Structure formats: structure tokens, C-alpha cells
């Protein structure tokens, strides 16, 4: 697992979004760079746990994540 350091301008510009396969209104999203790299050191302990869980259940509970620009 790689940890990437992001510039402040990149940190809030994109999110890595894991959409639920079973509930259209449910998703988990994490700040990332344009390439989808999440700085795990910048996440809270709870967010880090959610991120690792979402990655582990891709294809079973969540769809393959997508990089999206934040609004």
C-alpha cells in the first residue's frame, strides 16, 4: 500500500468514491489526488478503517472506486 503526499491544492480537489452495490444512496468517499491516491496518514482512524474496509469489499459490497472532482 502506497502513501502519497498531496499538495494543499490537490488535497480537497478530488475524492475517491466507493458506491454501494446494494443501496444507490450509500457511498464512502475519501480525499485523493487526481490519480486516486489517498493519503492514509491524513485520514482519521475511523476514516482509515472505512477506507480499508471499502477496498477489501470491492465487488461484493462496493463498486470499483471512481475518482471525482469535488464540488
Amino acid at each position: 500500500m502506497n502513501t502519497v503526499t498531496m499538495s494543499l491544492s490537490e488535497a480537497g480537489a478530488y475524492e475517491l468514491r466507493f458506491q454501494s452495490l446494494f443501496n444507490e444512496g450509500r457511498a464512502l468517499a475519501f480525499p485523493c489526488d487526481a490519480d486516486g491516491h489517498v493519503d492514509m496518514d491524513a485520514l482519521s482512524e475511523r476514516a482509515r478503517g472505512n477506507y480499508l474496509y471499502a477496498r477489501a469489499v470491492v465487488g461484493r459490497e462496493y463498486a470499483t472506486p471512481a475518482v471525482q472532482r469535488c464540488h
Side-chain angles (χ1 to χ4, degrees):
M1 201 167 321
N2 294 335
T3 302
V4 177
T5 303
M6 293 178 256
S7 70
L8 291 176
S9 62
E10 287 180 309
Y14 296 93
E15 67 181 13
L16 187 64
R17 184 176 180 83
F18 294 82
Q19 183 64 47
S20 171
L21 294 173
F22 304 106
N23 184 341
E24 187 176 326
R26 184 171 176 224
L28 293 172
F30 306 92
C32 68
D33 64 15
D35 294 322
H37 299 119
V38 174
D39 182 357
M40 290 180 50
D41 293 334
L43 298 176
S44 69
E45 186 175 333
R46 182 175 181 180
R48 188 172 25 259
N50 286 339
Y51 173 68
L52 293 172
Y53 174 77
R55 284 180 39 160
V57 296
V58 166
R60 291 179 287 175
E61 188 169 333
Y62 290 100
T64 302
V67 176
Q68 298 182 336
R69 258 203 176 287
C70 292
H71 304 264

